[in-house]
Amino acid sequence: MDVVIIGAGVVGLATAWRAAARGAAVTLVDPAPASGASNVAAGMLTPVSELTYGEEPLLRLGLASRERYPSFVAELEELTGHDTGYRADGLLQVAFDADDLASLEDLRRFQESLGIPSEALNGRECRRQEPMLAPGVRGGLLVPQDGSIDPRKLAPALLAAAERSGVTLVRRRAAGIVVERDTAAGVRLDDGTVLRADRTLLAAGPWSGDLEGLPPGLVPPVRPVKGQVIRLRAPVPFLRRSTRGLVRGFPIYLVPRGDGELVVGATQEELGFDTRVTAGGLWELLRDARELVPGVTELEFVEVSAGLRPGSPDNAPVMGPTALPGLVLGTGHFRNGVLLTPVSADVLAAALLDGAVPEVGRPFTPDRFEQRV
Ligand code: FAD
């Protein structure tokens, strides 16, 4: 089967690898692979800590993906020889003031009601876990099963795995979907070349709605949600594990890497396709990070960057076949695309090659948004 995939972010890359490993002839189209959100993301693998009422199906998908991570990474690292910076060392969530602590306690009770264990800690116990935390931190939750990965190492590893599995990379922009006899027949590139395929996967992050030829009711309902992050350089060890905090109601996280990088994030802004980094964004992140971990102001500043999360109307991915035969969507991964990479690749490879979505992916098929026209 011939498959063409538009977009080589973590979702397109991992799906290309998995589909090629299952025997498909895969062409991956992207003028600048892994240049979108996948190059900016912090890489937290934390399905539980971002839990929100009403998002239980997304939680189950996140848990399924977190469970796949150890074998996914082992296979990827063995095939390519690349290190991905994967760590399964847990997440500490802390609260700065009494209101933040009340919110965290709400979250703990909600998790408990879903049968998800986490350990409640008082302020002193939090500082025993992370000695760099501010003395004022009121309490926290330890989620030992969570972890992190370095997306800037994950994406090159996925590209190497895809190429080693026979995927052809075409470094061009896809301009449109080719539709013939009410079926998706491939992709038209920006130079007019047509790549014909039995199945076409649209995995271009927040740009997935921009292609020509998409029937009106089937345009993926994704929008860009801007996030700014800072990269600092810290002595090792500075923090032992990813630490997420609420500071007077504002969420902040700090993600340490084995090589001393410390990622501080992230803003969440609805500003369209704007990727400017701003003084205000930088200030907010440093202000809240310093409240939690005063020592951050001593660290070397390396980089500030902004990326666009592909947001969908219900914050969940949009994955699976569409009403246009031959066209599959793989977008809308919003704040969780790195976490969801292993499970999405399996779901999308099945959607492309078997024409069916496995059980775990069924709540996320595109038909929940399709409009009959
Ligand atoms: P992208 O990575 O955006 O890739 C889309 C690709 O499509 C790009 O390479 C682009 O060049 C290509 N493309 C676009 N248009 C075309 C076209 N016409 N033709 C061909 N190619 C095209 N997730 C987590 O799980 N954990 C985190 O800690 C985390 N932190 C984040 C922090 C920030 C600040 C941001 C912005 C995101 C974060 N995310 C996190 C979310 C995660 O980064 C995204 O969900 C994920 O990267 C989406 O991957 P993707 O492959 O769908 O899209």
Side-chain angles (χ1 to χ4, degrees):
M1 177 175 304
D2 290 320
V3 171
V4 64
I5 297 179
I6 304 168
V10 284
V11 174
L13 283 166
T15 307
W17 171 35
R18 289 316 215 197
R22 286 190 52 188
V26 181
T27 304
L28 185 56
V29 177
D30 194 322
S35 59
S38 304
N39 189 45
V40 175
M44 280 188 299
L45 307 176
T46 57
V48 174
S49 62
E50 293 218 325
L51 201 53
T52 315
Y53 293 94
E55 291 186 350
E56 289 87 343
L58 185 56
L59 168 71
R60 278 191 288 279
L61 190 72
L63 291 173
S65 205
R66 191 185 66 185
E67 208 170 283
R68 281 166 213 226
Y69 246 106
S71 59
F72 180 82
V73 162
E75 204 181 322
L76 184 60
E77 293 190 345
E78 195 186 315
L79 177 65
T80 63
H82 283 236
D83 165 44
T84 59
Y86 174 63
R87 301 164 58 144
D89 47 8
L91 171 82
L92 182 65
Q93 267 185 291
V94 297
F96 184 72
D97 66 17
D99 289 343
D100 299 329
L101 192 60
S103 302
L104 211 54
E105 178 53 20
D106 268 357
L107 179 67
R108 194 192 63 75
R109 272 197 239 109
F110 180 42
Q111 290 176 7
E112 204 174 66
S113 73
L114 296 170
I116 297 168
S118 62
E119 193 184 333
L121 308 177
N122 63 29
R124 190 170 313 131
E125 289 164 335
C126 288
R127 280 184 295 283
R128 203 171 301 138
Q129 292 290 335
E130 287 295 352
M132 297 304 284
L133 283 174
V137 162
R138 301 292 283 260
L141 285 181
L142 186 64
V143 187
Q145 299 84 0
D146 280 351
S148 65
I149 196 163
D150 185 345
R152 288 180 174 181
K153 291 183 173 166
L154 174 64
L158 288 170
L159 183 55
E163 290 187 317
R164 201 158 289 192
S165 308
V167 172
T168 305
L169 176 66
V170 175
R171 288 181 186 264
R172 290 219 71 100
R173 196 177 72 81
I177 307 286
V178 177
V179 180
E180 287 173 359
R181 278 177 255 109
D182 294 327
T183 300
V187 172
R188 180 171 298 101
L189 304 180
D190 57 357
D191 64 356
T193 309
V194 170
L195 302 177
R196 306 192 72 79
D198 304 306
R199 301 273 188 281
T200 302
L201 172 66
L202 183 43
W207 299 274
S208 298
D210 288 355
L211 277 94
E212 292 160 17
L214 286 166
L218 300 185
V219 178
V222 281
R223 68 182 197 286
V225 182
K226 178 178 173 180
Q228 302 187 49
V229 294
I230 300 172
R231 284 175 161 82
L232 306 174
R233 184 146 310 282
V236 179
F238 179 77
L239 291 179
R240 293 174 181 161
R241 60 169 68 78
S242 298
T243 302
R244 188 188 272 281
L246 264 185
V247 178
R248 301 188 186 92
F250 291 100
I252 183 92
Y253 57 72
L254 300 96
V255 181
R257 311 250 192 254
D259 61 2
E261 182 176 86
L262 183 74
V263 184
V264 179
T267 64
Q268 191 159 312
E269 303 162 73
E270 300 273 356
L271 290 171
F273 288 92
D274 169 14
T275 50
R276 286 172 305 159
V277 295
T278 62
L282 193 64
W283 175 73
E284 274 172 34
L285 294 174
L286 285 175
R287 177 196 65 194
D288 295 340
R290 193 183 70 153
E291 294 278 26
L292 277 193
V293 184
V296 290
T297 52
E298 305 298 323
L299 303 182
E300 182 189 342
F301 175 83
V302 178
E303 181 190 320
V304 57
S305 50
L308 302 170
R309 306 172 184 92
S312 75
D314 59 6
N315 298 339
V318 187
M319 297 192 288
T322 64
L324 181 68
L327 178 66
V328 175
L329 298 186
T331 183
H333 289 71
F334 195 34
R335 293 179 317 215
N336 290 307
V338 182
L339 166 68
L340 296 176
T341 292
V343 77
S344 300
D346 290 345
V347 166
L348 291 169
L352 288 166
L353 304 189
D354 311 331
V357 171
E359 181 74 40
V360 68
R362 296 224 179 106
F364 308 101
T365 51
D367 54 3
R368 72 191 193 279
F369 297 122
E370 279 172 11
Q371 293 149 21
R372 306 273 159 248
V373 284

